[in-house]
Amino acid sequence: MLSETGDVAIPRRGLLLALSSPSGAGKTTLAKRLLASDEDIVMSVSATTRPMRPGEVDGKDYFFLTPDAFEEQIAEGAFLEYARVFGNIYGTPRAPVDEAIEAGRDVLFDVDWQGVQQLRQAARDDLASVFILPPSIEALEQRLRSRGQDSDEVIASRMAQARDEISHWAEYDYVIVNDDLDASEHKINAILASERLRRSRQTGLTDFVRGLA
Ligand code: ADP
Ligand code: 5GP
């Protein structure tokens, strides 16, 4: 079976791609570029009990649930992972992830190191994790300032948190120093391309090879 581009289409299992970084290193920018350039990967939408903020859209930013509905869904095993943060609950709905993976599509996660640990427990070999580092501490602070979203106080607290987040770099499968944005985007694309080619993910190989005999 040859496609128009000459590629043989071998069915594959999708993967979970987790991106982490200290705030300001460029994770959101890189995630947006990846989602815009690759139609086989979608962002995971979490559920939360926290109130919706102005401008947020239910089903896009989060699925907003009541505490009772959230607890009920926890009891039903509806979450791949969840965490209680500042009196609210946040979690990753399991069904959309399972459906995507079975259909050979990938799911992108924007999570901190604790979220990655939980995803690793839940998803094991389906997970590939990438840590994004800034080229220097000065560049990190400069990016936080140039983003223009935070006060001096918030920036100082993000810089303190950044050192803690960075200390978990060695728990990741891949590390990218985000100096040049285009180069970093190419690196993420390369990671995704090779993770998709893992033999274990090419579920159609057995049939394909049988057909060669
Ligand atoms: P994060 O999601 O990790 O908090 P963002 O993606 O919001 O970070 O990036 C923080 C700021 O740094 C943004 O203003 C973004 O445009 C900028 N930025 C991201 N990557 C680079 C880069 N490689 N070079 C220069 N500026 C960058
Ligand atoms: P916020 O309320 O600002 O959108 O998010 C607060 C915190 O919840 C952030 O630290 C974010 O990483 C965390 N969070 C968001 N979604 C999830 C999720 O699905 N699972 C877990 N464990 N944490 C999440």
Side-chain angles (χ1 to χ4, degrees):
M1 173 181 41
L2 282 176
S3 73
E4 278 177 18
T5 57
D7 282 341
V8 178
I10 293 174
R12 70 174 180 96
R13 181 173 172 79
L15 65 109
L16 282 66
L17 185 70
L19 294 186
S20 301
S21 77
S23 181
K27 178 183 51 172
T28 310
T29 308
L30 286 166
K32 278 189 188 152
R33 285 190 174 208
L34 182 59
L35 291 167
S37 69
D38 192 316
E39 60 189 26
D40 285 334
I41 188 160
V42 291
M43 191 84 198
S44 171
V45 179
S46 298
T48 182
T49 58
R50 83 147 162 74
M52 206 185 287
R53 292 178 188 146
E56 285 185 329
V57 178
D58 189 24
K60 184 167 174 278
D61 298 290
Y62 283 104
F63 294 105
F64 293 93
L65 300 179
T66 63
D68 282 351
F70 207 116
E71 296 291 352
E72 209 171 287
Q73 292 196 21
I74 291 175
E76 288 165 359
F79 294 103
L80 200 55
E81 59 79 37
Y82 65 93
R84 292 170 202 271
V85 186
F86 304 124
N88 291 306
I89 326 176
Y90 295 81
T92 305
R94 186 187 294 275
V97 176
D98 286 349
E99 279 162 25
I101 285 184
E102 293 302 324
R105 281 179 281 108
D106 310 309
V107 187
L108 184 64
F109 292 82
D110 170 342
V111 281
D112 65 7
W113 66 270
Q114 282 167 319
V116 169
Q117 281 192 351
Q118 286 195 298
L119 284 177
R120 196 176 293 118
Q121 290 281 325
R124 301 275 166 199
D125 293 343
D126 285 327
L127 179 75
S129 60
V130 182
F131 195 77
I132 296 158
L133 284 169
S136 68
I137 279 292
E138 292 75 22
L140 183 67
E141 186 161 351
Q142 175 56 36
R143 284 179 195 176
L144 284 173
R145 290 192 187 285
S146 70
R147 193 165 63 179
Q149 281 176 1
D150 304 315
S151 64
D152 282 356
E153 200 186 345
V154 171
I155 287 177
S157 117
R158 289 200 193 281
M159 289 303 292
Q161 271 174 24
R163 289 185 165 78
D164 179 50
E165 186 74 22
I166 288 172
S167 72
H168 292 277
W169 68 275
E171 295 157 27
Y172 287 74
D173 299 321
Y174 301 91
V175 177
I176 292 176
V177 177
N178 179 23
D179 189 355
D180 178 76
L181 201 46
D182 289 337
S184 300
E185 185 183 359
H186 281 127
K187 286 172 189 168
I188 291 191
N189 290 340
I191 290 166
L192 191 53
S194 47
E195 286 290 329
R196 285 171 174 168
L197 285 170
R198 274 185 185 272
R199 176 167 46 79
S200 58
R201 298 216 168 96
Q202 298 198 63
T203 46
L205 271 181
T206 307
D207 284 347
F208 175 74
V209 173
R210 212 174 269 141
L212 292 177

